[in-house]
Amino acid sequence: TPSRSSLACNMKLTLLIAFAMLAASSALSLRRRLLSGAKSYGPVCMSDSPVVAELLASAGYGHLVIDHEHGPTDSSSGQALLQAVDAAARLQGPSGDHPTEPIVRVPDHDAAYMKKVLDSMRLPGGVLVPMVEDAATAERAVAATRYPRQVDEPAESVDGVRGCAFPFVRASGYGTDPDYMARCREELLVMVQVESARGVESIPEIASVPGVDAVFLGPFDLSCSIGKAGRFDDREVRDLISAAERAVLESGDCMLAGFRSGGRGAMEMFDDGYSLVCGSVDLGLLRDAARRDLEEALGGVDP
């Protein structure tokens, strides 16, 4: 029989988890803020380092993309990064009442991998699905983020294929959040990434898929898809990016998001209609800081 002290300890732990989740949801989620017209800027974490993730999340960015596509991060190490971002919420930065929210870029639209990511993510947060080139892929991506429609949900709500283990996973506070399923519909930001000329042609159909909150543009990938990687001064590259932006904005169905491309600042992109912008990469920040340190310390002298 459990002792009185162990029962009290378990009760205290449950209350602490519930309080932390209540505090996290007391402010509007990133998804709700963006839908209300707010803007968000943040970096990408490719280092797979919880220390770096916590540091960046405590700096006051609106969001932090945790990259499972190009970096070494997987569903196991990714949970440690999510825990680090949550820990940083205790250190309020310039973002005020809105702690930095994690957005996980998954490797693809695979439902099994998405399930692992979402089961480890405490809301609010988001997911970014790469290489979406048509509406069918976007539909599969959205379905992977949703549970099957429940009998008490509206008939027009998005149906899904996500496996249900929420009473036992980190995402629901290990079963302490009775409203978790409802929060998934309201506080999970779902973005799909268009990275090719073919995908740009399909943006009107992709943007109309129920459950897609934003179309995210990868300008480097777009330029690479037409054989002109990184040539952002090239007329064809500029026209392709502009066509993609215009297609998203004219759809009226979802928000425009994306990476910064060469020569464009975040404020300029916000003025051009972007709701969410990603700029720096943690590895690039470290590389550039190391080079500056060496330059400043040695004054150009060969080490």
Side-chain angles (χ1 to χ4, degrees):
T1 302
S3 66
R4 182 176 299 178
S5 61
S6 66
L7 288 173
C9 183
N10 290 339
M11 178 65 73
K12 187 179 295 184
L13 178 60
T14 300
L15 288 173
L16 286 172
I17 293 174
F19 179 78
M21 298 183 71
L22 178 62
S25 62
S26 62
L28 285 179
S29 65
L30 175 62
R31 178 178 181 271
R32 292 183 181 181
R33 297 200 310 275
L34 293 177
L35 290 173
S36 298
K39 309 291 185 180
S40 183
Y41 175 78
V44 179
C45 181
M46 292 183 64
S47 65
D48 198 33
S49 167
V51 174
V52 173
E54 183 180 25
L55 187 154
L56 291 175
S58 65
Y61 290 109
H63 63 273
L64 173 64
V65 173
I66 298 173
D67 189 30
H68 291 222
E69 183 189 17
H70 291 292
T73 305
D74 57 23
S75 60
S76 178
S77 64
Q79 176 165 305
L81 299 185
L82 291 171
Q83 290 169 322
V85 174
D86 289 347
R90 302 174 185 174
L91 306 173
Q92 284 292 336
S95 57
D97 295 332
H98 305 297
T100 301
E101 285 192 26
I103 298 172
V104 174
R105 180 163 66 170
V106 293
D108 53 29
H109 61 272
D110 177 66
Y113 195 92
M114 182 73 77
K115 175 171 55 181
K116 285 179 174 291
V117 166
L118 293 179
D119 281 352
S120 67
M121 177 190 292
R122 287 216 178 130
L123 295 174
V127 291
L128 173 59
V129 182
M131 291 304 297
V132 173
E133 297 196 331
D134 51 49
T137 305
E139 289 171 355
R140 289 194 293 273
V142 171
T145 70
R146 297 290 203 274
Y147 290 111
R149 187 187 301 114
Q150 302 299 292
V151 295
D152 56 349
E153 293 178 355
E156 65 272 14
S157 61
V158 179
D159 199 11
V161 298
R162 181 181 170 188
C164 187
F166 73 85
F168 311 104
V169 296
R170 180 177 185 270
S172 67
Y174 304 101
T176 63
D177 182 3
D179 299 320
Y180 175 71
M181 291 185 77
R183 292 182 67 207
C184 286
R185 296 191 297 272
E186 298 298 325
E187 299 185 355
L188 179 66
L189 178 69
V190 178
M191 301 191 292
V192 296
Q193 187 169 347
V194 171
E195 308 177 54
S196 70
R198 177 190 168 196
V200 172
E201 295 176 357
S202 300
I203 283 177
E205 293 77 27
I206 293 171
S208 68
V209 171
V212 172
D213 294 313
V215 171
F216 189 101
L217 303 181
F220 201 90
D221 293 289
L222 289 174
S223 66
C224 187
S225 75
I226 57 172
K228 297 181 177 181
R231 300 182 188 179
F232 298 116
D233 291 330
D234 183 89
R235 168 70 66 180
E236 187 180 8
V237 172
R238 292 202 309 269
D239 288 348
L240 180 61
I241 294 172
S242 295
E245 294 170 341
R246 189 164 54 251
V248 177
L249 294 173
E250 291 178 355
S251 73
D253 292 306
C254 65
M255 297 175 288
L256 173 63
F259 289 117
R260 285 177 56 196
S261 56
R264 298 180 77 183
M267 295 307 298
E268 176 188 350
M269 295 178 69
F270 290 146
D271 290 341
D272 289 340
Y274 280 80
S275 296
L276 180 146
V277 174
C278 288
S280 55
V281 176
D282 60 348
L283 297 177
L285 290 172
L286 180 59
R287 175 201 62 205
D288 294 344
R291 288 175 174 173
R292 282 196 305 272
D293 176 63
L294 186 62
E295 178 73 22
E296 293 171 3
L298 300 180
V301 178
D302 189 349

